[in-house]
Amino acid sequence: MLATRLMPCLLMKRGALVKTVQFKNPVYVGDPVNAVRIFNEKEVDELILLDVTATTEPHGIDFETLEKVTSECFMPICYGGGVRTVDDMRRLYALGIEKISLSSAAIGRPRLVTEAAAEFGNQAIVVTLDVKRSLWGKYSVRTHGGSVDTKRHPVDLAREMEAAGAGEILVNAVDRDGTWSGFDLKLLHEISAVVRVPVIACGGAGSLSDVRDAVREGGASAVAIGSMAVFQGKDLGVLIKFPSREQQDALFE
């Protein structure tokens, strides 16, 4: 069985690192290259980097910034944002990106996942499901930075994306994003129970016990932390940080 993975999830907007709350009000937290250098020193195993405006704004993929990031990064990077074609993916892999996260493009055209998996391998393709809960507790997947409601249930889409060829499913709870309130364990459990590929929990981590719960109760195979990796604590200043190897080992003993 694979060891549980813990990784930072960094958000980028026009070349700068930001952090959002429920996908809104991005706050500047630093330069992505500097952050990567710090995570190198902390011997982080894997990194997720999502460009939150590459799909919704005309600029598309920021290859220039990504080239700077990959030239400094010693760990595998999963990149998402603005990826629409297999040609985009070829260019990203050529830069040194190891995994690509598809969201809007995959949900709009599942065949893209199949084509990508056939060329690059399932292990290199992650599908991200941004999930929002209604006032009545009903889940639906959002795209385009959370602004478009697909009216699709995340369980159904997770099954469809796995069948299309996704090697991992990243489940990002919109309502929990940046809140430090813990993961949506019900959502994680529902999805992890119906797919065989690894599920990455994202959105809501506020403590190491939240990380443990995402795995033990939610069934996640991996956990991505955002605010915990860029802030000293809730309502405190910016500090790029990451749990030590000892802290990580203690979580899953």
Side-chain angles (χ1 to χ4, degrees):
M1 182 176 179
L2 291 174
T4 301
R5 293 171 291 143
L6 181 64
M7 63 200 83
C9 181
L10 303 179
L11 306 181
M12 190 168 74
K13 178 181 179 181
R14 301 183 196 127
L17 284 187
V18 299
K19 188 65 194 82
T20 56
V21 176
Q22 297 180 332
F23 283 34
K24 300 174 183 177
N25 305 318
V27 174
Y28 175 77
V29 296
D31 175 74
V33 175
N34 289 337
V36 160
R37 288 174 179 148
I38 295 171
F39 287 130
N40 284 338
E41 294 172 1
K42 295 185 178 298
E43 299 182 338
V44 170
D45 292 327
E46 189 172 346
L47 176 73
I48 298 174
L49 180 62
L50 305 176
D51 190 321
V52 296
T53 58
T55 298
T56 58
E57 295 185 356
H59 62 77
I61 301 170
D62 186 349
F63 288 103
E64 182 179 353
T65 299
L66 289 175
E67 185 171 8
K68 294 174 184 176
V69 168
T70 55
S71 68
E72 294 286 343
C73 192
F74 299 157
M75 72 211 76
I77 297 178
C78 172
Y79 169 78
V83 183
R84 295 180 174 88
T85 67
V86 171
D87 283 340
D88 288 339
M89 297 182 216
R90 291 190 187 109
R91 188 171 173 186
L92 288 165
Y93 288 127
L95 283 180
I97 299 295
E98 299 224 356
K99 297 180 183 179
I100 290 174
S101 165
L102 299 171
S103 182
S104 302
I107 294 166
R109 190 168 77 89
R111 179 67 188 169
L112 177 63
V113 179
T114 305
E115 293 169 359
E119 179 161 343
F120 309 112
N122 303 68
Q123 79 290 338
I125 307 300
V126 178
V127 170
T128 294
L129 302 180
D130 295 327
V131 183
K132 189 168 177 59
R133 198 171 187 171
S134 73
L135 293 174
W136 299 273
K138 183 179 179 181
Y139 294 115
S140 66
V141 174
R142 301 294 185 104
T143 61
H144 297 80
S147 63
V148 176
D149 187 353
T150 67
K151 310 291 187 182
R152 297 287 306 279
H153 195 282
V155 167
D156 296 334
L157 269 176
R159 285 195 185 106
E160 183 178 339
M161 293 298 105
E162 179 186 33
E168 294 184 82
I169 306 291
L170 191 156
V171 181
N172 197 355
V174 176
D175 302 301
R176 302 294 182 107
D177 170 57
T179 64
W180 300 77
S181 59
F183 293 97
D184 187 330
L185 301 178
K186 179 178 182 290
L187 171 64
L188 290 172
H189 180 74
E190 286 187 9
I191 293 177
S192 63
V194 300
V195 296
R196 292 168 303 213
V197 297
V199 171
I200 306 170
C202 188
S207 67
L208 290 177
S209 63
D210 290 335
V211 173
R212 183 190 294 115
D213 290 345
V215 176
R216 293 185 177 175
E217 298 182 35
S221 302
V223 180
I225 58 175
S227 295
M228 281 181 64
V230 297
F231 292 121
Q232 297 177 51
K234 184 173 171 54
D235 300 321
L236 298 177
V238 173
L239 178 66
I240 305 298
K241 60 186 177 64
F242 200 72
S244 68
R245 185 69 58 189
E246 291 75 19
Q247 289 174 307
Q248 293 180 56
D249 290 343
L251 274 177
F252 308 113
E253 286 180 344

